[in-house]
Every structure is written in C-alpha cells, then in structure tokens.
Amino acid sequence: MSRPVQRRQPGLQYGLVLLASQVMNFGYDSIPPATLAAIVAQSVLYMGLIRVPWNAEDVCISASKVFKHKDWRSFILSNFEHGSDMHLYYNMVSFLLKGSFLENMYGTTNFAFLIGVISMGCSAMYVTIGYILTQITEDYAYYTSCAIGFSAVLFALKVIVVSEEQDRPHDVGGFRVPSKFAVWAELFLIHLLVPNSSFIGHLGGILVGCLYCYTFVGEIIDGKISKLTGQPIVHEEMFYRRRTFRIF
C-alpha cells in the first residue's frame, strides 16, 4: 500500500509497458486464470478504461474514513487502486509470481475466494492498527493516514508462500535471509527505500498472513471456502505442521 500521490492517468504509461512485457515473458497462457484476471482488472482500472464513479484518492482507506464516516466503499476498493504506473507495475509483477504459485496449489476458485478474504482482512487490520496507534501515541496522523494499493495483500501472500515452501533462504535486497525472517526483512527494506509506502499497511498484511498460516483463523477460512467451492484447500505438510504448533 502507498499514500495516493496523483490521480489515475488514462492511457499507456511506462509502468504498464513494463508490466505487459513481464506478462509476455512469463507467458500469459502460463498464468492461472484468477491471477491473470486480477492483474488485467487492476491494470484496466488504473488506465481508466473501466468507467467507475470514483478516483483512486476517493477510495484510499483510513481509520477515520471507516470508523467515523462508515466509508465501506474505501474498505473494499482501496486494495485494488494504485497511485502511479510504477506502483501498479511492482505490485502486479510480485502478484504474478505469488499468485501463480498459490493458485496452482489451491485451485482457481479457492484462490479467488482467498484473495477476497485476505483483502478484507488487510483493510480491517489497517484501520485497527491505525486506531490503536492513535490511542497509544495520541498522534491523530495514524487515524487519518490514507493509503491505496495491493501491497498489503501481497505481504499476506508472501507469508503464505513462505509457509508453503520448504525452509530455504530468500533473497532480500541482495542478501540471503532465512525464510522465517524474509517477510520482516522485506517490510523494513521497503520502508527504508520507499518512504511513501505505508508501513502500517504492509505490517497489517503480514499480520493477516500470520493469522491465516499459524492460527485457527486459517482453519476456519479454509473450511468456509471449501464449503462454498466444494473443493478442499490442499497445503504442504510443512504448512500443516506450522499451523498445528501455532508458531508466529
């Protein structure tokens, strides 16, 4: 997630060209359908080819907008808008890799529902953290800070991917980091390199991913999704072991 810095600009921009190139290099026919649909939908939304009654900054999410003004539109839509073409590019390339891995494992319908649940969870976590920090620090900026973007969802997916993979080092900023620390290292690295990014949003995404992977909340989500789709969500053995021990 990031703070909205400009209006969505119609037409083709450099970040969109880069994204199209990455998709072609990956092979669009190799991208699972839900992942591809999400990438195309967010790209088309950013380009302004979908006529919607809002601008990106209209649906940025903050604790104030949700708790005080009951702005549920922002609660739902903020994760899918982007502030710039490069913001969209980096998020969608990251999603291309994570989505392809998890969708092939979980199944398209299950994965699509999971993305919806995680998105709502990230919004809830963002406003909750903002409210709590306001109460602790008495800094109203946490209550009104507004953000958009898919990166909170990506951080949640990062936690899930790491939990599904066998323990192995991950490359973060050119350094080899143990898998259990990789997502935290990435959180602080992005915060240092991209000052406009939303630290609270990214942290909220990690916490949502941890709730799904390491607590009974994930078991409930899996059960509800499987009941809706009629297909079980199959995890790797390592994932089940971690969830059993409830380890953060």
Side-chain angles (χ1 to χ4, degrees):
M1 303 181 85
S2 71
R3 300 176 186 88
V5 295
Q6 66 180 60
R7 289 183 175 273
R8 180 171 61 247
Q9 299 294 325
L12 199 60
Q13 299 175 48
Y14 182 60
L16 293 166
V17 174
L18 289 177
L19 176 57
S21 175
Q22 289 289 343
V23 169
M24 295 301 293
N25 288 338
F26 191 90
Y28 70 90
D29 54 341
S30 300
I31 305 173
T35 299
L36 180 60
I39 292 172
V40 171
Q42 291 183 68
S43 300
V44 170
L45 178 63
Y46 174 79
M47 293 172 66
L49 299 180
I50 300 177
R51 298 181 65 87
V52 292
W54 67 80
N55 292 312
E57 58 267 44
D58 294 337
V59 294
C60 68
I61 188 172
S62 71
S64 174
K65 290 178 72 173
V66 173
F67 289 130
K68 185 176 181 180
H69 302 290
K70 312 300 180 186
D71 187 350
W72 301 113
R73 184 178 70 169
S74 296
F75 188 90
I76 296 171
L77 298 175
S78 58
N79 289 305
F80 305 105
E81 283 282 6
H82 291 83
S84 71
D85 59 321
M86 295 308 295
H87 184 204
L88 174 73
Y89 165 69
Y90 286 119
N91 277 356
M92 293 301 99
V93 169
S94 178
F95 181 59
L96 172 62
L97 300 176
K98 296 176 177 65
S100 296
F101 175 77
L102 293 175
E103 185 175 344
N104 284 330
M105 180 180 293
Y106 296 165
T108 294
T109 309
N110 284 341
F111 181 69
F113 274 108
L114 182 61
I115 288 295
V117 171
I118 288 175
S119 174
M120 296 301 98
C122 288
S123 293
M125 191 66 75
Y126 179 83
V127 299
T128 299
I129 294 174
Y131 176 80
I132 291 173
L133 288 177
T134 300
Q135 300 303 310
I136 293 174
T137 66
E138 297 185 351
D139 185 350
Y140 199 68
Y142 290 115
Y143 197 62
T144 58
S145 179
C146 220
I148 56 174
F150 202 63
S151 49
V153 177
L154 293 174
F155 268 94
L157 294 179
K158 174 76 171 182
V159 175
I160 299 173
V161 168
V162 168
S163 296
E164 291 285 10
E165 292 177 328
Q166 298 295 324
D167 287 328
R168 63 177 180 82
H170 284 247
D171 186 278
V172 179
F175 296 94
R176 302 295 284 175
V177 179
S179 60
K180 61 182 178 181
F181 300 127
V183 68
W184 298 103
E186 190 172 328
L187 169 68
F188 288 102
L189 181 64
I190 290 179
H191 183 61
L192 291 174
L193 297 180
V194 189
N196 194 52
S197 64
S198 173
F199 182 84
I200 295 176
H202 297 167
L203 174 62
I206 292 175
L207 295 179
V208 168
C210 288
L211 284 173
Y212 177 74
C213 293
Y214 306 127
T215 76
F216 67 92
V217 173
E219 297 171 11
I220 294 173
I221 292 172
D222 282 355
K224 297 296 184 183
I225 292 177
S226 295
K227 188 174 181 180
L228 286 171
T229 65
Q231 300 175 345
I233 294 181
V234 179
H235 298 289
E236 293 293 334
E237 181 181 351
M238 179 67 70
F239 186 100
Y240 281 120
R241 229 174 16 244
R242 288 169 175 168
R243 182 177 281 179
T244 299
F245 286 110
R246 308 284 194 262
I247 298 175
F248 281 86

